[in-house]
Every structure is written in structure tokens, then in C-alpha cells.
Amino acid sequence: MSKQTILNPVDKYPKPPFAKQSQPWPGLASKMDPVPDHGETTYKGSGRLAGKRALITGGDSGMGRAAAIAYAREGADVAINYLPAEEEDAQQVITLIRKEGRKGIALPGDLRDESFCTQLVADALRELGGLDILVNNAARQQTHASILDISSEEFDAVMKTNIYAPFWTIRAALPHLKAGAVIIGTASEQAYDPSADLYDYAQTKAATMNYVKSLAKQLAPKGIRVNAVAPGPIWTPLQVSGGATQEKLQNFGSATPLGRPGQPVELASIYVQLAADDASFTTGQVYGASGGAGQP
Ligand code: NAD
Ligand code: MG
């Protein structure tokens, strides 16, 4: 057996201060400095999701990309949704999925549109031949110092992306989900400890935490599990494309006890665990990974 290298979580990944940077929304992972680690060269699978079929929204970058890579290495076929502007990030993920000998399906489109959400699920079902894992991970986050700076259009875009899209995709998928299927949402520490400048976004993460608990009760008798992941500050495009102020970004993660932001790869095994059959008694749960901040 090869010797395991033991790594200190404090020093394992980049720490603040970070270079000043901003990108037009929705941003690309490949253009961040440093480039986030989604497990491209490190995640090792062990057949935990062999033969499963997954649809992941926001699968091009951040947590969604880390989950997509891990799912493929655990033996699943994976469809990802993303915005057309993110094609470059998405194609990198598709290449990595196919390198594992798994089906990698690219399904670009805007989740703020109900008819697109319905079509997305239909396309995923057709291309994958069914669906066992639905990960509602995409979200919109824009920092606004004051509630007075939030237009009705912006508020609506946040609600459509973060609350309506999971509703629309779950409703379209449910008639096709069999016992043993799972639904996973991405919540946030913002659900429990909202920041002053994330008035609109934070309440959608509270809604995510809440819908997961409701739906878990509703779907348990059908054998469908529903859980959420609640990350703390993670180094992703969402933060550099309007999600955080420059001051927050340069010191990103400094407030956590570990003194740094998380990397998307550090959440990959959680998305795998919640999807795996051996987590069969886990439903209605929110699994946090926030560098010691204590939420949820
Ligand atoms: P990310 O930018 O890599 O991923 C978000 C994705 O959402 C984008 O890649 C994009 O494809 C998708 N998206 C946004 N609007 C869309 C739309 N209208 N139509 C289709 N797709 C759309 O950032 P991330 O941080 O990995 O975000 C993933 C999840 O993690 C989100 O739910 C976010 O709220 C949550 N989260 C992030 C952090 C953090 O610090 N980064 C902390 C807690 C929770
Ligand atoms: Mg992206």
C-alpha cells in the first residue's frame, strides 16, 4: 500500500490576500487568479456512483464542476447546465467527464425561463436514458451595499435563478425519478448568518435550506432523498463577477477559523456522499463546509 501524504488544511490551498480582479457576470473559472481547484488532477473515484445518471446545474464551474468531475470518476454519466457565455469552462468539464469513459452531456441555457427548465430536464432524461441524481446548484449573487440599490429586475433575476429554477426543474423531473433517486440543493452559510450586502441572495439560500427539508418529508415515502450542501466562502467565479466587493475579495476567507477560502474540490466528496446509496438514512439534512465558521 502506498503511503498517504498528510496535509494540513490550513496550508493546503491559497490564502488571502488575493490579487484585485473582476470579471463580467457570470465569469469564468479559467480566468481567475489563482485558478480554482475543482479536483481536476486530484479527485479519485472508487465506484460509489457506478451506473448512475446525474444532472447538475451550474456544472461548468465552482461547486457544480467539482461535483461533475467527482461524479464521473465515481462512475456516473453527467449532464451539465450552464449559460452560453460559459461554454469554455463547460467544455473543459465535458472533456474531463468523457476522459473517464462516462457520458458527458452539455445543456446550455438560461434557468430564469420556465420553459427552458422543463426542456432541460427532458433533454437530460433523453440523453442519459433516465435520471438518478438532480443537483440544483446554479445561483445568482450580486453584492449591493443597500436595499435601495436593488432594482425589481435584479431582485426578480435572483429569485428566478435561485428559487424558481429548482422548483421548475424538480417538478419536471419528479415524475421520472424512481425510488433511490436523490435531489441535492446548494444552500449556503448565508441561510443562517446573512451578510448585510446580500439581502436578496441570502434569503434565497434560506429558502433552499427550507425547501430541502419540506421536500425530504414529502418524498421520503417514495424513497427519494433530498439534502443540501451549505458552503462557506469558496473561491469561485460567482465571487469575482459581482458577488463580492473588492475589499471582501482581496481578503476572501480571512474571517474563517482556517484563515482562507475553501476550494470547490473540498466540497466534492460531500456531493458524492449525499448522492451515494450508502447514505440511505440521510434525507432532509444540510451538510456544511465553511472552514470552521460553525454553520449550519
Ligand atoms: P459559480 O459561478 O462557479 O457557479 C454558479 C453557476 O450558476 C454558474 O456557473 C452559472 O452556470 C450558473 N447560473 C447562474 N445564473 C444562471 C442562469 N440564469 N441560468 C443558468 N445558469 C446560471 O459559483 P459557485 O460559488 O460554485 O456557485 C454554486 C453554488 O454555490 C450556488 O448555489 C451558490 O449560491 C453556492 N454558494 C457559493 C458560495 C461561495 O462562496 N462561492 C458559498 C455558499 C454557497
Ligand atoms: Mg460558471
Side-chain angles (χ1 to χ4, degrees):
M1 228 161 100
S2 65
K3 200 167 167 251
Q4 183 108 32
T5 319
I6 297 172
L7 296 171
N8 182 343
V10 174
D11 309 320
K12 201 173 167 191
Y13 293 108
K15 290 179 195 185
F18 293 104
K20 245 189 153 144
Q21 58 198 289
S22 82
Q23 293 185 40
W25 177 82
L28 290 175
S30 54
K31 296 214 165 102
M32 288 177 71
D33 172 22
V35 171
D37 187 342
H38 309 87
E40 287 87 345
T41 61
T42 50
Y43 189 90
K44 287 191 184 68
S46 54
R48 295 188 72 193
L49 304 176
K52 304 232 187 231
R53 300 151 299 183
L55 169 61
I56 305 174
T57 65
D60 60 302
S61 58
M63 263 65 85
R65 177 179 184 145
I69 294 169
Y71 282 8
R73 292 194 185 156
E74 296 291 356
D77 292 331
V78 185
I80 60 168
N81 162 252
Y82 52 93
L83 288 160
E86 299 171 302
E87 190 63 38
E88 186 187 323
D89 272 357
Q91 283 308 322
Q92 293 174 359
V93 179
I94 294 295
T95 302
L96 288 167
I97 295 168
R98 292 182 181 161
K99 230 174 120 185
E100 300 304 315
R102 308 310 315 179
K103 265 191 205 166
I105 311 290
L107 300 172
D110 195 323
L111 293 168
R112 288 171 290 189
D113 178 17
E114 177 174 0
S115 60
F116 172 73
C117 288
T118 311
Q119 191 60 46
L120 170 66
V121 171
D123 290 348
L125 282 162
R126 190 190 63 246
E127 296 291 328
L128 298 172
L131 200 55
D132 309 294
I133 304 167
L134 172 60
V135 183
N136 284 115
N137 164 75
R140 179 175 180 85
Q141 172 184 326
Q142 297 282 305
T143 172
H144 293 287
S146 167
I147 188 173
L148 301 179
D149 301 332
I150 304 175
S151 68
S152 296
E153 290 71 28
E154 174 59 22
F155 190 82
D156 190 56
V158 171
M159 298 301 143
K160 287 270 162 52
T161 314
N162 302 7
I163 298 182
Y164 276 79
F167 166 59
W168 288 328
T169 48
I170 293 168
R171 203 177 50 180
L174 189 57
H176 307 276
L177 299 183
K178 306 238 159 36
V182 300
I183 297 169
I184 298 170
T186 303
S188 170
E189 63 179 4
Q190 291 292 326
Y192 306 88
D193 185 16
S195 296
D197 65 331
L198 294 175
Y199 166 82
D200 49 354
Y201 169 84
Q203 61 183 289
T204 69
K205 294 290 133 175
T208 303
M209 175 271 285
N210 194 282
Y211 90 63
V212 157
K213 290 176 187 247
S214 164
L215 211 51
K217 290 176 185 161
Q218 187 182 127
L219 301 183
K222 294 188 195 300
I224 298 170
R225 297 184 297 110
V226 191
N227 294 288
V229 182
I234 313 296
W235 190 245
T236 71
L238 175 127
Q239 301 291 354
V240 302
S241 61
T245 60
Q246 278 304 322
E247 301 91 279
K248 186 172 169 189
L249 208 56
Q250 282 170 262
N251 297 309
F252 200 61
S254 59
T256 71
L258 285 176
R260 64 169 178 85
Q263 293 293 322
V265 65
E266 296 184 274
L267 290 95
S269 63
I270 303 172
Y271 286 90
V272 170
Q273 171 65 13
L274 294 177
D277 286 334
D278 52 9
S280 41
F281 203 55
T282 301
T283 192
Q285 308 292 326
V286 182
Y287 195 123
S290 57
Q295 309 289 344

